[in-house]
Amino acid sequence: MNLEWKIKRFEALTTVELYDLLQLRSEVFVVEQNCVYQDIDNKDQKALHLIGEDKGKIVAYARLFKPKDYFEEASVGRVVVKPTDRDKKIGHILMREAIYYIKSQFGETKITISAQLYLKKFYESHGFIQTSETYLEDDIPHIEMKRS
């Protein structure tokens, strides 16, 4: 696998990239997690889109937000890896890239996320700590986590 990383504003996404990233988000967050929710939430326009490609196909993706566009601090959301590529530890590479780009694009090191509870240890391995009780978001247990 030879990952290529792109960071793009919404307006710079091609129609093919937008279609492919929405398809990946739908495949995982709606179909795989059996969760009916409004993925298209009018936040894509504010986000920087971090796209990981292998041989021209999107295999990893996340949205990056500057402070006050989602939380008070910068944020990472819609963190997703193509199911067929999860055994390659791409999620860890994706989070390292997300943290790097938040620092390089926004000059920020403080990051707040709304994490699915079952991924708590994954995010802890990237320096995040739990800062809230468990809450339901779209009927899935979540926790707020912060990284300084």
Side-chain angles (χ1 to χ4, degrees):
M1 176 165 282
N2 189 18
L3 287 174
E4 179 185 336
W5 295 96
K6 297 178 183 177
I7 188 91
K8 292 188 167 190
R9 297 211 170 278
F10 182 77
E11 299 78 19
L13 293 169
T14 68
T15 54
V16 172
E17 286 170 328
L18 181 60
Y19 183 91
D20 289 348
L21 69 87
L22 290 172
Q23 184 178 45
L24 176 58
R25 286 172 17 185
S26 178
E27 176 185 356
V28 173
F29 298 128
V30 177
V31 178
E32 179 184 307
Q33 294 183 354
N34 194 28
C35 181
V36 177
Y37 83 111
Q38 186 64 45
D39 178 45
I40 299 174
D41 59 0
N42 290 311
K43 291 183 179 148
D44 288 312
Q45 295 90 328
K46 292 181 177 183
L48 282 179
H49 299 269
L50 178 59
I51 301 167
E53 293 182 345
D54 180 42
K55 299 178 186 122
K57 300 287 183 196
I58 296 175
V59 296
Y61 169 81
R63 296 193 302 193
L64 312 181
F65 294 96
K66 70 180 191 277
K68 297 187 178 18
D69 273 354
Y70 199 95
F71 289 104
E72 283 298 307
E73 295 83 17
S75 185
V76 180
R78 298 291 198 269
V79 176
V80 62
V81 172
K82 191 159 188 58
T84 54
D85 292 299
R86 288 193 189 135
D87 61 336
K88 300 172 181 124
K89 304 290 184 198
I90 297 170
H92 290 286
I93 300 167
L94 174 61
M95 281 309 298
R96 285 193 296 271
E97 291 289 321
I99 292 164
Y100 166 79
Y101 278 110
I102 283 177
K103 186 171 185 180
S104 69
Q105 297 290 313
F106 306 139
E108 297 290 330
T109 56
K110 293 181 179 179
I111 304 170
T112 300
I113 60 173
S114 178
Q116 291 187 9
L117 181 60
Y118 85 96
L119 290 168
K120 179 181 177 189
K121 290 196 184 314
F122 169 80
Y123 288 114
E124 285 175 339
S125 75
H126 292 278
F128 288 86
I129 58 167
Q130 182 175 344
T131 55
S132 77
E133 296 297 318
T134 302
Y135 56 91
L136 288 179
E137 187 173 306
D138 302 312
D139 289 329
I140 296 174
H142 280 70
I143 52 174
E144 182 181 274
M145 300 186 83
K146 292 182 183 273
R147 183 180 196 278
S148 297

